[in-house]
Amino acid sequence: MNSRSILIPSVVLAFLMLITTRVIGQKVMTITKITEAIVIDGHVDEAIWDKITPLNLTQKVPNAGDAPTQLTELRIAYDDEYLYLSGRMYDNEPDKIVANSKKRDDFTENSEWMGFLIDSYNDRENALAFFVTPTGSKLDMALSNDVQSPTGFNLSWNSYWDAAAARNENGWFAEIRIPFSTLPFELVDNEVVMGITLWRYYARNDETDIFPPRDLSTGSSFRPSLTQRFLFKDIDQRKPVHITPYVLGGMANTQVHSVSDNAYFNEQKFKKEIGIDAKVALGSNATLDLTVNTDFAQVEVDDQQVNLSRLNLFFPEKRLFFQERSSLFEFNFGNSDRIFHSRRIGIINGQQTRIYGGARAYGRFGTWETGLLNMQTGALGEIASENFSVFRIRKRVLNENSTVGMILTNRTDFKGQYNTVYGVDATLRVHKQNYLSIRWAQSVTDEKSNPFNGLDQTKYFIELSKRSQEGLTYTLNYGRAGKDYLPGIGFEHRPDFNQFNHVLRYNLFPDDKSKIAQHGPYLTGGLTWGNSHGQLETRNTHFGYNILTKLGWTYDIRFQSDEEQLFSPLALPGEVEIGSGRYPFGSAFASITSPSANRLSYFLGAGTGNFYNGKKNTLLVAPFFNITPDFIVEASYSHNQLRFKNQFKKVNVVLTRLKLLYTFSTKLTVNAFIQHNSISKTYLGSIRLRYNPKEGNDFYFVFNGDLNQDRFRNELVLPKSNGNTVFIKYSHTLHF
């Protein structure tokens, strides 16, 4: 790489760091340190709990600032090794306690829960959340970017901790124990400050009782920037080493088309693998993850998507190895576009490639945060073995909510092909809840190695936003990507563009007597121009109104005015081709979301309008049914009917999903996932049994397969199934 190519981002980063000032503090509270033993059984009957003053919770929803409807006592304590939370959730009608689920990581409001989120680095941006329900099921997740982006909630993250719950005639009770060894933090003079928010969700009233106090205008209850700081002294900073070997065995059947015989034959492969993962502490504030012969066979299959636009489809990362502190490696441009997307590692055109191994290291050092990643994958067909590496560094500046940073990614193989991307970014809180975000990046490849060739290899982005729900809120951004900008380990929804986007909302909060919690209009949209021709490619303008009631109902209606300028034909599902030209079209869409605390809840949406030179009618139905706390049925039905009179075409694009979960206990679950795609005319199925006797030890039995719906649609009769896999996997974590 030309040394001058690093000069520009380095100078910008150095200048931003010169403006570093002292971080503004917040009043810090203390927590009782105990020496008595606490048994995690959910009964909250140890005498020490009565000696600790409960924190003063207030309502956030539905009536901000009011006392909780039901008496609630939440207490925090700690000893040398653990952080404890106890909850006495009294209820004057205990038979009506909503406890609809035993599902692990069930992030819905169809059950009551209590817990807390912990900003252990006190960075006011990231946190770890731990909750428990009346059935004793646990929820943990990682929060990032002050939950201001679609990736702000990471439910795939898991950790080592304990929780238990119990019920009686007075209500329900719970205890949570978090080992300090699982929390990342940095001790200074044997002290550490962490931000904490804790609350109880009372489902019958759709009520959130919270500490510290909040109102609806602050937005999400999960924002790390709004936690209360607590001081801890003399805690155990020892970090265990976790080593997790796995063994896997199974069989894959694939129907292969023989060109010479013009027929299908079954190719059967037996699979047996062994691998190992390890997590090694590098002090109390840094961690090293290692992996050898990585396997992701137990990962849930992706939801099917059908593309009705010219944009690339984005699929989220679900693989556990990439989840820990994944927010550190984020460098996005206000939407799905990003310099680093870990799904580009080990997945090529939807097929998994072997990952020989790799390492991730990440940590925080004062106001600095840094991360490293390196992975080596195997060859797949004509794709050679590749190496992927990422370096990320960020520093807090100006105030507790502002950072500047730099990223460097590289993808290379043994044939001399490479792709390198480097960039600098800044997120600055400029005034109260107003934020300015700046991103700049440049790519260099073996074919395009001159970074000073104008803006062709560059992408930049600037955004101004207000992170609040009070009154007028906004997000305004502008970005540009050059025609030769190519993030080899990233994701781009379209190439070579200029784009301006806006989101404007005005939120109103009625008084306590109203049945409405929040309502208001919004205006969203954007303009996209192509760089090469300088003409408008896409225009979107959506005007709508949203209503949220205090009982949990959400109503939304919007009117859309869109325009697409096609410079080449666009192929749509169902063998529909839209010719070149300018297409303005309008539509309307309305939706209803029912309270999720009910055993049966649902989302219902419907829309109609023009679509290019035709018509489109849309119906979306997504029911969620807790038949019992052990048995959950979740479904979704998406139907887009496309009609094009000039082509005499009528196409029905239907996606149907059905998920079944049966929970024998909080340790043993089995789920089935069935999908139907009307375009590919296939049924996709997956059955997964998981036995998790304790965190880190897992036994999986997994079956994945498909069925062809119409085998006679082609001249050559298709096989009943294109293929299936069945395997078992066992992993066991050793702690040292």
Side-chain angles (χ1 to χ4, degrees):
M1 186 191 306
N2 192 312
S3 60
R4 292 181 301 170
S5 66
I6 302 295
L7 179 61
I8 295 176
S10 299
V11 170
V12 174
L13 181 64
F15 171 76
L16 289 171
M17 290 181 177
L18 285 175
I19 64 177
T20 303
T21 60
R22 183 180 178 88
V23 175
I24 299 174
Q26 178 203 48
K27 183 179 179 180
V28 179
M29 297 181 64
T30 59
I31 299 179
T32 301
K33 187 172 185 180
I34 62 176
T35 57
E36 295 87 342
I38 293 179
V39 178
I40 305 302
D41 57 9
H43 293 292
V44 197
D45 53 3
E46 289 84 2
I48 186 60
W49 287 125
D50 293 317
K51 298 178 182 179
I52 299 172
T53 302
L55 292 166
N56 184 29
L57 274 66
T58 57
Q59 288 188 40
K60 177 187 175 184
V61 179
N63 300 313
D66 286 3
T69 303
Q70 300 285 345
L71 176 62
T72 304
E73 296 179 355
L74 300 188
R75 295 173 170 89
I76 304 178
Y78 75 101
D79 57 24
D80 291 337
E81 298 184 47
Y82 300 101
L83 172 61
Y84 300 91
L85 172 64
S86 74
R88 293 172 177 167
M89 282 65 65
Y90 295 102
D91 198 314
N92 53 22
E93 295 180 283
D95 57 317
K96 295 183 179 180
I97 291 174
V98 180
N100 289 333
S101 175
K102 291 181 181 177
K103 179 184 176 183
R104 172 69 190 264
D105 292 338
D106 187 2
F107 190 38
T108 62
E109 295 178 341
N110 69 336
S111 185
E112 301 192 12
W113 37 269
M114 62 80 73
F116 53 3
L117 64 88
I118 306 169
D119 174 11
S120 58
Y121 272 137
N122 190 29
D123 63 12
R124 318 302 282 172
E125 181 186 8
N126 304 284
L128 303 174
F130 305 88
F131 296 94
V132 64
T133 72
T135 62
S137 61
K138 300 194 300 183
L139 162 67
D140 53 6
M141 58 185 170
L143 311 172
S144 63
N145 193 32
D146 206 23
V147 298
Q148 297 301 304
S149 67
T151 58
F153 295 90
N154 185 354
L155 283 167
S156 296
W157 178 85
N158 287 309
S159 186
Y160 304 97
W161 58 291
D162 300 296
R167 297 171 62 175
N168 62 28
E169 67 278 4
N170 296 316
W172 71 281
F173 307 84
E175 293 167 312
I176 294 175
R177 180 176 65 190
I178 312 295
F180 283 116
S181 62
T182 69
L183 299 175
F185 59 87
E186 185 175 17
L187 281 174
V188 178
D189 297 328
N190 211 30
E191 296 181 350
V192 63
V193 173
M194 301 184 186
I196 296 178
T197 297
L198 57 147
W199 62 88
R200 171 191 184 179
Y201 175 63
Y202 177 50
R204 292 204 301 282
N205 282 15
D206 194 30
E207 176 181 323
T208 300
D209 303 322
I210 196 167
F211 178 88
R214 306 268 184 87
D215 57 41
L216 279 172
S217 65
T218 60
S220 173
S221 301
F222 291 87
R223 292 184 61 185
S225 64
L226 301 177
T227 56
Q228 170 62 50
R229 289 186 171 99
F230 288 91
L231 175 67
F232 299 86
K233 297 181 179 181
D234 302 317
I235 59 178
D236 187 0
Q237 60 176 319
R238 293 175 299 170
K239 301 289 182 176
V241 175
H242 307 287
I243 298 178
T244 308
Y246 80 86
V247 292
L248 178 145
M251 183 175 61
N253 293 289
T254 306
Q255 294 294 324
V256 180
H257 179 222
S258 172
V259 177
S260 59
D261 298 331
N262 194 27
Y264 289 93
F265 69 92
N266 182 49
E267 182 178 86
Q268 192 173 81
K269 292 182 179 180
F270 291 92
K271 184 176 182 180
K272 50 184 178 180
E273 299 284 352
I274 185 170
I276 191 169
D277 294 335
K279 185 178 292 292
V280 181
L282 306 175
S284 66
N285 54 343
T287 303
L288 172 66
D289 292 337
L290 301 170
T291 181
V292 177
N293 198 25
T294 317
D295 185 87
F296 305 108
Q298 77 280 6
V299 176
E300 292 184 4
V301 296
D302 289 317
D303 289 347
Q304 289 277 293
Q305 299 184 46
V306 173
N307 199 346
L308 295 179
S309 73
R310 66 168 81 181
L311 306 181
N312 297 323
L313 295 177
F314 178 81
F315 290 89
E317 178 63 87
K318 296 182 179 181
R319 298 174 294 180
L320 187 60
F321 179 80
F322 296 107
Q323 302 302 329
E324 187 79 21
R325 209 62 178 170
S326 60
S327 61
L328 169 61
F329 295 91
E330 281 191 3
F331 193 112
N332 59 47
F333 295 89
N335 49 30
S336 299
D337 290 4
R338 58 201 60 208
I339 288 179
F340 173 59
H341 184 35
S342 56
R343 276 186 67 106
R344 299 295 299 275
I345 301 175
I347 301 178
I348 300 176
N349 298 325
Q351 297 186 52
Q352 289 196 11
T353 63
R354 179 181 293 276
I355 296 181
Y356 293 132
R360 298 169 72 246
Y362 42 91
R364 176 176 288 275
F365 309 91
T367 57
W368 293 86
E369 189 175 19
T370 186
L372 293 163
L373 179 146
N374 187 272
M375 305 288 287
Q376 185 71 38
T377 64
L380 179 66
E382 297 181 356
I383 304 297
S385 175
E386 295 182 289
N387 183 267
F388 301 80
S389 58
V390 183
F391 170 71
R392 181 73 159 116
I393 188 170
R394 294 193 306 177
K395 185 182 190 325
R396 196 189 313 178
V397 299
L398 289 177
N399 53 60
E400 61 189 16
N401 304 115
S402 300
T403 61
V404 297
M406 184 175 183
I407 193 170
L408 176 68
T409 71
N410 186 70
R411 178 176 185 170
T412 187
D413 61 20
F414 296 109
K415 296 181 178 180
Q417 300 179 84
Y418 68 88
N419 175 283
T420 300
V421 181
Y422 44 87
V424 294
D425 65 329
T427 299
L428 308 173
R429 180 168 62 83
V430 293
H431 178 66
K432 294 184 177 179
Q433 294 297 312
N434 296 278
Y435 285 75
L436 174 66
S437 298
I438 303 171
R439 311 276 188 270
W440 180 93
Q442 198 165 62
S443 68
V444 179
T445 68
D446 53 296
E447 296 179 347
K448 303 287 184 179
S449 58
N450 182 9
F452 295 96
N453 186 20
L455 296 174
D456 289 347
Q457 294 169 232
T458 298
K459 182 168 185 174
Y460 57 82
F461 173 86
I462 183 169
E463 179 177 271
L464 188 64
S465 62
K466 182 180 180 182
R467 298 182 179 181
S468 173
Q469 290 189 2
E470 183 177 10
L472 177 65
T473 65
Y474 59 87
T475 298
L476 307 171
N477 60 56
Y478 171 76
R480 182 189 188 278
K483 67 181 180 66
D484 295 324
Y485 172 73
L486 178 65
I489 324 177
F491 177 85
E492 286 287 291
H493 72 288
R494 71 199 304 166
D496 190 24
F497 67 89
N498 276 271
Q499 190 172 71
F500 170 75
N501 293 308
H502 65 273
V503 178
L504 303 174
R505 294 181 179 272
Y506 193 84
N507 299 307
L508 301 168
F509 301 93
D511 57 34
D512 293 350
K513 297 180 181 179
S514 175
K515 295 182 179 180
I516 297 176
Q518 175 184 342
H519 66 102
Y522 60 87
L523 178 67
T524 68
L527 300 170
T528 303
W529 298 269
N531 290 325
S532 300
H533 47 68
Q535 298 185 53
L536 184 70
E537 290 185 353
T538 301
R539 175 187 57 80
N540 305 117
T541 303
H542 301 170
F543 175 75
Y545 205 93
N546 183 270
I547 300 174
L548 172 64
T549 75
K550 292 181 178 179
L551 291 179
W553 289 89
T554 301
Y555 304 93
D556 188 88
I557 185 170
R558 66 176 182 265
F559 301 93
Q560 305 176 183
S561 175
D562 302 309
E563 181 179 331
E564 294 286 345
Q565 174 87 359
L566 300 180
F567 297 93
S568 60
L570 174 66
L572 292 176
E575 299 180 352
V576 173
E577 184 175 281
I578 307 298
S580 303
R582 175 177 169 269
Y583 297 94
F585 48 93
S587 59
F589 187 85
S591 66
I592 299 174
T593 306
S594 72
S596 55
N598 299 334
R599 285 197 180 274
L600 176 61
S601 58
Y602 58 86
F603 170 86
L604 177 63
T608 186
N610 299 322
F611 186 67
Y612 291 96
N613 55 359
K615 301 283 186 179
K616 181 175 76 168
N617 295 317
T618 300
L619 176 64
L620 304 175
V621 182
F624 188 96
F625 189 20
N626 278 102
I627 298 176
T628 71
D630 299 312
F631 189 28
I632 296 175
V633 177
E634 182 179 359
S636 66
Y637 176 81
S638 169
H639 188 162
N640 285 283
Q641 184 187 73
L642 311 179
R643 288 183 292 177
F644 301 92
K645 292 183 179 179
N646 63 330
Q647 300 184 46
F648 304 100
K649 286 276 190 178
K650 181 179 179 181
V651 179
N652 290 297
V653 181
V654 181
L655 287 177
T656 307
R657 304 187 186 100
L658 178 65
K659 296 182 180 181
L660 307 174
L661 171 67
Y662 192 85
T663 308
F664 296 94
S665 70
T666 55
K667 302 179 185 299
L668 179 62
T669 59
V670 60
N671 57 45
F673 185 18
I674 303 170
Q675 302 184 76
H676 175 248
N677 186 329
S678 68
I679 299 302
S680 64
K681 299 184 184 300
T682 55
Y683 292 91
L684 301 176
S686 173
I687 299 175
R688 188 176 72 154
L689 181 145
R690 181 191 184 193
Y691 177 55
N692 174 225
K694 65 178 182 178
E695 294 295 338
N697 296 356
D698 284 289
F699 172 84
Y700 288 96
F701 170 84
V702 179
F703 169 83
N704 294 314
D706 66 15
L707 292 174
N708 283 309
Q709 176 186 357
D710 183 4
R711 298 174 55 205
F712 302 96
R713 61 181 181 267
N714 298 327
E715 182 178 346
L716 176 62
V717 177
L718 298 174
K720 292 181 179 180
S721 171
N722 299 307
N724 58 73
T725 60
V726 58
F727 64 85
I728 58 174
K729 179 179 180 179
Y730 179 69
S731 59
H732 188 94
T733 301
L734 306 172
H735 308 278
F736 299 95

